[in-house]
């Protein structure tokens, strides 16, 4: 196990691929409120997956992935791909209909 849930995996992946992003930038990239992003990032910091540094001004913080975070991602990514593949196989012919339904639900939420 990687020690990451799906939310943590997605956030850690974005921190890894967007070096030195601020909390606000991460929130915008993932489409969630800044306050929620701050709480999610603090969980990753507490677990040692991410560290925060001072940003360009004294109120902003940037996030960087740690070696512990990179190791967790290296474990989690193939597990996530395997889970996605398993779901796709189980859905079979219904996969496209299911994905379309999810897409329409997300559009309604936006």
């Amino acid at each position: 196990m990687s020690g990451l849930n799906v939310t943590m995996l997605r956030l850690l992946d974005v921190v890894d691929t967007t070096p030195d992003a601020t909390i606000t930038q991460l929130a915008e990239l993932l489409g969630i409120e800044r306050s929620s992003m701050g709480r999610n990032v603090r969980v990753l910091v507490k677990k040692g997956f991410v560290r925060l540094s001072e940003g360009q001004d004294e109120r902003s913080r940037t996030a960087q992935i740690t070696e512990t975070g990179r190791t967790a991602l290296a474990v989690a990514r193939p597990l996530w791909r395997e889970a996605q593949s398993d779901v796709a196989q189980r859905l079979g012919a219904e996969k496209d209909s299911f994905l379309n339904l999810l897409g329409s639900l997300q559009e309604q939420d936006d």
Side-chain angles (χ1 to χ4, degrees), residues 45-90:
V45 168
K46 186 175 181 179
K47 291 186 172 288
F49 298 143
V50 168
R51 73 174 170 278
L52 294 175
S53 301
E54 288 187 29
Q56 291 184 347
D57 64 51
E58 56 191 52
R59 293 181 304 153
S60 69
R61 300 283 179 261
T62 61
Q64 301 84 34
I65 191 168
T66 64
E67 285 305 314
T68 302
R70 282 193 180 87
T71 300
L73 269 182
V75 171
R77 283 177 173 149
L79 294 172
W80 180 247
R81 283 191 294 270
E82 184 179 327
Q84 294 290 309
S85 177
D86 184 51
V87 168
Q89 280 184 326
R90 289 173 189 248

Side-chain angles (χ1 to χ4, degrees), residues 10-22:
R10 179 68 180 125
L11 176 52
L12 194 56
D13 188 55
V14 172
V15 169
D16 184 41
T17 57
T18 315
D20 293 319
T22 65

Side-chain angles (χ1 to χ4, degrees), residues 17 36 42 69:
T17 57
S36 295
R42 282 193 295 278

Side-chain angles (χ1 to χ4, degrees), residues 5 23 26 33 38 46 67 69 71 85 88 106:
N5 64 32
I23 304 297
L26 293 170
E33 293 182 13
K46 186 175 181 179
E67 285 305 314
T71 300
S85 177
Q106 183 176 7

